[in-house]
Amino acid sequence: MTGVDWAVLLSAALAAGWVDAVVGGGGLIVLPTLFVVMPGLAPQTALGTNKLAAFSGTTAAVITFARKVPMRWKQLLPAAALAGVAAAAGSAAVALIDRELFIPLVMVVLIGVAIVVTARPSIGVTLATHPPTRRKAILVTALAAGLIGFYDGILGPGTGTFLIITFATLLGTEFVRAAAMAKVINCGSNLGSLLFLATTGHVLWALGLSMAVANVAGSVVGSRMALARGAGFVRIVLLVVVTAMVIRLGWQQFA
């Protein structure tokens, strides 16, 4: 690769780290950029290299959020482990999934997310009047970790977004705390997918580690901005990213 290629990829990783820390969706920046710069790259190798950078960024985001946002570690750490196992299974099942049907389904879900967030502006901006029971919180967190973790292993982009909107709508969690919770689980799913792809030889380590440094920098800045500017800022970025994801996936599928 040329120096320009390296600059493009590192810039993409930096931007993806920022977006991922705030609302998720950074994979929609990195993965297309990898394919543009390296057209012959195998999809699994692109995914594995991105996971190395993404895992580093989500880890940095977790550390940043944990300093300011109370974390229910006894609930989140087992969920992160479950997400890791589910993501590894998803990465193993990549070849079995019919993407001609899968991507449109993801688009429909994203459009639904945008409609719900737009129609109910209170979601994620204020805490629920009646907090969920402990049993409900554990159940929702575990199901989100398993199902969305599996999706992260197969495709990935928007994993953090789906987790945030799940916690905001089903648990009444405000967006900043939901983003913090999402980063813990996303960290687990990134690690699970990375371990599987690494053991099968689908990681470009030199490139991935370089992108990881840029991703961490973007992630720290993004998480600090989310903490400083609050739920309203996260809500706006969420709507922008969801719209961009729908457009990008639609272009990829139908153009």
Side-chain angles (χ1 to χ4, degrees):
M1 295 192 301
T2 66
V4 173
D5 292 336
W6 277 93
V8 169
L9 288 171
L10 293 178
S11 297
L14 179 71
W18 187 92
V19 171
D20 262 337
V22 180
V23 293
L28 282 177
I29 299 173
V30 173
L31 289 175
T33 306
L34 279 168
F35 288 126
V36 168
V37 174
M38 307 171 71
L41 192 64
Q44 293 93 332
T45 305
L47 185 61
T49 304
N50 176 55
K51 287 301 179 188
L52 177 56
F55 170 68
S56 303
T58 50
T59 301
V62 168
I63 293 171
T64 304
F65 275 120
R67 291 171 178 168
K68 299 290 185 179
V69 179
M71 297 283 203
R72 295 180 178 177
W73 294 111
K74 291 182 179 180
Q75 176 182 319
L76 290 173
L77 291 179
L82 173 61
V85 174
S91 294
V94 166
L96 305 177
I97 301 298
D98 183 357
R99 295 201 176 193
E100 295 299 317
L101 297 176
F102 189 68
I103 292 179
L105 178 61
V106 173
M107 291 174 61
V108 170
V109 174
L110 285 169
I111 291 171
V113 166
I115 292 173
V116 169
V117 174
T118 302
R120 297 177 61 188
S122 63
I123 287 179
V125 177
T126 57
L127 289 171
T129 305
H130 303 288
T133 63
R134 184 173 181 272
R135 178 177 295 181
K136 179 180 179 180
I138 292 173
L139 179 61
V140 169
T141 304
L143 285 174
L147 296 175
I148 300 175
F150 184 77
Y151 163 77
D152 192 23
I154 295 175
L155 190 62
T159 296
T161 308
F162 289 135
L163 288 168
I164 289 171
I165 199 65
T166 297
F167 297 144
T169 54
L170 299 184
L171 298 181
T173 309
E174 57 92 17
F175 278 136
V176 174
R177 180 169 294 187
M181 294 169 62
K183 288 304 101 183
V184 177
I185 294 175
N186 199 185
C187 190
S189 65
N190 280 332
L191 179 59
S193 180
L194 172 62
L195 290 176
F196 175 82
L197 292 166
T199 57
T200 53
H202 288 297
V203 177
L204 299 177
W205 290 99
L207 176 59
L209 289 171
S210 299
M211 292 171 65
V213 174
N215 196 278
V216 166
S219 184
V220 170
V221 173
S223 52
R224 286 180 177 175
M225 287 184 69
L227 288 167
R229 300 196 178 188
F233 169 73
V234 176
R235 180 178 185 273
I236 293 171
V237 177
L238 175 66
L239 287 171
V240 171
V241 170
V242 166
T243 302
M245 283 194 286
V246 171
I247 294 172
R248 178 66 185 86
L249 289 172
W251 179 268
Q252 175 183 331
Q253 183 72 10
F254 303 113

